[in-house]
Amino acid sequence: MDPELVNQAYGRFFAGEPERLDPVGLFARVAASVPAYRKFLAERGIDPVSVRTLEDFRRLPLLDKDSYHRRYPLPELCRDGRLDGCDMIAVSSGSSGTPTIWPRSLADELAIARRFEQVFRAFEADRRSTLAVVCFPLGTWVGGLFTTACVRHLAAKGFPVTVVAPGNNKAEILRVIPELAPHCEQLVLLGYPPFLKDVVDSGEGWDRYDVKLVLAGEVFSEPWRDLMAERTGLRDRERDVVSLYGTADAGVLGTETALSVSIRRFLADRPELAHELFGGVRLPTLVQYDPGSRFFEEENGTLLFTGDNGIPLVRYHIADEGGVVSYPDMLEFCARHGFTPTPGPELPFVYVFGRSLFTVSYFGANVYPENVTVGLEQPGISDWVTGKFVLETVEDALRDVRLRVTVELAPGRTGDPAVLAESIRTHVARLNSEFAHYVPEERQLPEVVMKEAGDPEYFPVGVKHRYTR
């Protein structure tokens, strides 16, 4: 690792200097310093000198794991062909295939710490004593150690933040919070949505603390945000629950803001407007991003980004369905529909549906986990389920296809599967026009199967949950 590079990165971080990403300039540096990228371009007959404008840049071939990362030796993917230029390794979750190795340096980490700084400043954690409890899994997976490091950088910058990292050990989380949280003015829980819900449901007395939530990894509904607000007693639903759009490939790419949350909440009960804006039947995660840090593009309904990392990436196709909306266009859309959102940073928006492989096709309709989630979050139901489920289609003896939802019961609780099935049908049909129109009415009611908490086949403990099969 280059000490001079780290010193410069720390200097910019502590001084609060804005980042300035020039995608064409970054391309030139990557082409000159990354052996794998030079080979990638040469194999396609591309002379780096010919790329001089943004228009030239937009014609460059896309990178992805198969065509780039898995094709070249790991050191050749790094700056100057040196793996020892990076001091930390993380792996992707492997949700779409084999886990992938992603090196990074301390300088890369500091760039991502700026996204956490944005979130923690919104929590007033730059002047209020804060206990940050990192509930992402620890180890080689990216979430836990990366988050812990970034929040510690904020403490080094002068934020009165104390970090504890029990990871996804629920018993340890519930042990340390009562011991530490009373000594701080607020409590920030950072983790995956279904796991934090399980933590909150298993604990008690949350209203004793000023709770904030930082979430990542999954799209959640606005009723879920409301449910968590009620159970933790958090005060401001637009500011106190923040979702991050992050990847192992490049860290945190964007964050929810009060502005983006207010817009999303406005659209949650107006699916026709959400369809007009996003072009889909689902409500995506909506975040704002810093174009000085990451350059986003949209191609064929999926996202590309460019950014400097341990493995620098140029026009990287991450396979997330979504798109980009400029700040002026977003505010114009809101004004046209008579809505004045909560003020926020004048930054562009990126919306993320997630990856198409996390869907089930049923009578030609794509059924999405986030649609089903709303049915589980209704009053009278949410108390006896954990929020985890598995969505799948199954064939019966007559080869008829049925939609099955296997649901995890809360510990020691039971409920009526018929009530849950009706709730799921009602809300999926309301939120998903494909489901409502493609699926015959007599086939819309799902089969609901209930399993005990921690069922080893469907809900194994300690494993990142997958909502579809």
Side-chain angles (χ1 to χ4, degrees):
M1 186 168 58
D2 184 349
E4 183 60 31
L5 183 65
V6 172
N7 285 335
Q8 292 174 1
Y10 261 125
R12 292 191 297 271
F13 176 67
F14 287 134
E17 293 180 10
E19 298 171 280
R20 294 181 176 87
L21 172 63
D22 168 22
V24 177
L26 177 61
F27 161 78
R29 293 195 301 275
V30 175
S33 64
V34 178
Y37 195 58
R38 283 201 302 273
K39 292 181 180 179
F40 178 85
L41 295 173
E43 290 163 0
R44 288 155 181 79
I46 298 171
D47 181 356
V49 176
S50 67
V51 180
R52 300 176 180 175
T53 67
L54 190 56
E55 185 178 346
D56 297 333
F57 177 89
R58 291 184 186 276
R59 288 195 292 265
L60 287 168
L62 310 186
L63 305 182
D64 59 29
K65 288 180 181 177
D66 288 331
S67 69
Y68 188 64
H69 190 290
R70 295 184 180 128
R71 193 155 180 267
Y72 303 99
L74 186 60
E76 292 189 10
L77 296 164
C78 303
R79 304 178 189 98
D80 302 316
R82 296 179 62 101
L83 182 59
D84 60 4
C86 299
D87 62 287
M88 191 71 186
I89 299 292
V91 300
S92 61
S93 65
S95 55
S96 59
T98 304
T100 305
I101 293 174
W102 296 101
R104 69 175 184 271
S105 72
L106 183 54
D108 304 318
E109 217 166 63
L110 289 168
I112 304 307
R114 292 171 181 259
R115 306 283 73 78
F116 284 91
E117 181 175 2
Q118 178 184 350
V119 171
F120 274 63
R121 283 193 187 278
F123 292 161
E124 300 182 342
D126 55 329
R127 55 183 182 273
R128 300 183 65 205
S129 61
T130 301
L131 176 67
V133 183
V134 178
C135 305
F136 293 109
L138 301 175
T140 57
W141 308 114
V142 68
L145 292 181
F146 205 163
T147 299
T148 302
C150 287
V151 179
R152 290 192 73 191
H153 294 319
L154 298 185
K157 192 170 182 175
F159 283 49
V161 175
T162 301
V163 187
V164 62
N168 60 344
N169 183 331
K170 185 172 69 173
E172 184 66 5
I173 293 167
L174 295 175
R175 185 189 72 80
V176 300
I177 287 175
E179 187 170 344
L180 297 174
H183 303 295
C184 299
E185 295 174 87
Q186 62 182 345
L187 167 66
V188 179
L189 303 176
L190 305 98
Y192 294 120
F195 182 72
L196 285 191
K197 181 179 182 296
D198 188 23
V199 168
V200 168
D201 291 348
S202 301
E204 57 185 21
W206 296 105
D207 55 358
R208 292 175 295 174
Y209 317 117
D210 185 359
V211 176
K212 309 288 193 295
L213 303 177
V214 178
L215 310 161
E218 298 179 11
V219 180
F220 56 83
S221 69
E222 290 307 313
W224 188 94
R225 194 190 306 264
D226 291 337
L227 179 68
M228 292 297 285
E230 292 165 5
R231 293 187 178 179
T232 60
L234 61 84
R235 302 170 185 175
D236 189 331
R237 298 179 188 191
E238 292 181 359
R239 291 180 170 83
D240 292 352
V241 181
V242 175
S243 182
L244 309 176
Y245 174 33
T247 71
D249 323 55
V252 178
L253 299 169
T255 68
E256 280 191 331
T257 63
L259 169 59
S260 73
V261 173
S262 70
I263 294 170
R264 190 175 193 262
R265 290 176 71 80
F266 170 72
L267 296 172
D269 294 323
R270 298 167 177 83
E272 69 287 353
L273 295 186
H275 186 274
E276 177 186 340
L277 180 61
F278 304 124
V281 297
R282 298 173 283 165
L283 186 65
T285 296
L286 180 64
V287 302
Q288 291 184 273
Y289 70 96
D290 182 357
S293 173
R294 296 290 183 263
F295 180 74
F296 270 103
E297 301 171 83
E298 177 184 346
E299 184 159 309
N300 298 323
T302 59
L303 292 168
L304 316 176
F305 71 83
T306 296
D308 203 358
N309 316 284
I311 295 179
L313 297 170
V314 176
R315 305 201 77 214
Y316 183 71
H317 186 240
I318 197 170
D320 280 337
E321 295 182 345
V324 181
V325 182
S326 71
Y327 177 84
D329 285 350
M330 182 65 82
L331 265 61
E332 189 277 331
F333 175 87
C334 292
R336 181 155 40 89
H337 293 287
F339 176 62
T340 302
T342 301
E346 296 185 10
L347 295 172
F349 296 80
V350 63
Y351 58 92
V352 189
F353 290 113
R355 301 184 184 178
S356 57
L357 61 90
F358 299 120
T359 65
V360 167
S361 180
Y362 185 54
F363 286 86
N366 285 322
V367 183
Y368 304 96
E370 53 264 43
N371 294 160
V372 175
T373 296
V374 177
L376 274 66
E377 293 166 348
Q378 300 306 305
I381 294 175
S382 59
D383 288 339
W384 44 271
V385 298
T386 67
K388 290 183 182 179
F389 60 91
V390 174
L391 178 65
E392 58 189 330
T393 55
V394 296
E395 281 187 350
D396 60 20
L398 299 176
R399 300 298 185 192
D400 289 327
V401 176
R402 302 192 311 278
L403 186 66
R404 176 183 292 169
V405 185
T406 303
V407 179
E408 185 181 52
L409 289 165
R413 303 301 297 271
T414 189
D416 186 348
V419 171
L420 183 50
E422 187 58 44
S423 179
I424 292 171
R425 174 173 66 175
T426 297
H427 291 285
V428 173
R430 177 177 67 87
L431 296 167
N432 188 328
S433 60
E434 283 187 354
F435 182 90
H437 289 93
Y438 291 7
V439 182
E441 188 172 344
E442 68 272 17
R443 304 298 295 274
Q444 291 183 1
L445 190 70
E447 173 189 353
V448 171
V449 177
M450 295 185 172
K451 298 284 186 179
E452 295 295 327
D455 179 84
E457 181 182 359
Y458 279 88
F459 308 106
V461 176
V463 176
K464 186 175 181 180
H465 183 61
R466 292 194 60 176
Y467 287 87
T468 58
R469 287 191 176 185

